[in-house]
Amino acid sequence: MAIPKHRLPEWVQDWLDVIVPGSQILGILLAAYLLQRLLRRLVRKAAVRYQLPGELVVPINGLIRWTIMASALLLSLERLGVSAAVLWTAFTGFATVGAVAFFAAWSVLSNLFCALLIFTARPFRIGDHVEILDTAEKPGAKGRVVDVNLLYTTLEEFNTPPGSAWIQIPNALIFQRVVRRWSGEPPAPTPLTAEPEAQSAATKATVSPMP
């Protein structure tokens, strides 16, 4: 139940216009702090469950932190009497700049998103032997997965000396291609058999003529 203003002490009435918005701003900041801690804890649990790398968790936490801080700032400015129209204009301006930057960096962001999908959906794991194909009939890049970072998946080429050759494939490209995976090493390529005509000619050449 709210206390009538005229029943408050005079010094409280003089500072009431400062105390009320100040309390509201403190409440907004406290709620933002608690929400940020809760979301960071959820991200930490998800990172442990899905074995997400640290370089992926750090930008996610940064995005959460800056989003909550921006929201808390806008709400605090509104409590201080800033016009909602001004706040909306500022928000739409920042959103427009963010959208332009998003599309300008789309190729990088798509690789980041696909890296998250690789760590959660697990189409393959580090140590697996995979082949990235345009179609199931055509051969493609083949090797052992040695690293997956935010931008590239690195393969150590098959049938080459260890540590001699690597292939870096953008993560977004992996989700646009057919992926063949072996639980162990892929089978060695079988030598091509000779044509029947060639085999027949060779057989005839080795047969000595009848006396």
Side-chain angles (χ1 to χ4, degrees):
M1 183 176 179
I3 300 176
K5 183 177 179 180
H6 63 276
R7 293 188 178 181
L8 297 174
E10 292 185 1
W11 68 271
V12 175
Q13 296 181 21
D14 295 337
W15 288 91
L16 198 60
D17 293 336
V18 177
I19 294 175
V20 172
S23 301
Q24 293 174 342
I25 291 175
L26 288 177
I28 291 172
L29 295 178
L30 178 61
Y33 173 75
L34 295 177
L35 179 60
Q36 180 180 346
R37 284 183 60 88
L38 176 62
L39 293 179
R40 286 171 65 92
R41 182 176 300 177
L42 293 176
V43 170
R44 190 182 307 114
K45 290 182 178 180
V48 173
R49 178 176 180 180
Y50 295 105
Q51 299 179 358
L52 301 179
E55 58 266 21
L56 183 61
V57 176
V58 171
I60 292 177
N61 287 331
L63 178 62
I64 291 173
R65 180 174 64 254
W66 286 106
T67 301
I68 294 177
M69 287 177 59
S71 301
L73 177 62
L74 292 177
L75 292 174
S76 299
L77 291 176
E78 185 181 4
R79 295 296 92 193
L80 292 176
V82 179
S83 173
V86 174
L87 293 177
W88 177 251
T89 302
F91 175 77
T92 53
F94 284 120
T96 302
V97 174
V100 172
F102 177 83
F103 285 107
W106 169 247
S107 60
V108 176
L109 294 176
S110 62
N111 286 323
L112 294 177
F113 180 70
C114 290
L116 178 62
L117 291 180
I118 290 174
F119 284 108
T120 54
R122 297 291 185 181
F124 51 80
R125 299 173 182 269
I126 293 179
D128 288 348
H129 288 80
V130 299
E131 185 175 10
I132 311 300
L133 309 167
D134 287 334
T135 63
E137 293 79 15
K138 297 181 179 180
K142 181 190 298 183
R144 184 174 65 90
V145 181
V146 294
D147 182 54
V148 179
N149 57 34
L150 297 182
L151 297 179
Y152 298 101
T153 295
T154 304
L155 305 181
E156 185 180 45
E157 282 193 302
F158 184 60
N159 286 335
T160 58
S164 61
W166 294 273
I167 304 174
Q168 285 188 317
I169 304 174
N171 294 325
L173 188 63
I174 292 177
F175 284 88
Q176 301 171 9
R177 299 289 187 267
V178 178
V179 179
R180 178 181 292 155
R181 181 177 67 168
W182 292 271
S183 57
E185 291 190 3
T190 56
L192 295 177
T193 57
E195 296 294 334
E197 295 81 1
Q199 291 180 353
S200 177
T203 303
K204 290 178 182 180
T206 56
V207 175
S208 58
M210 296 294 293

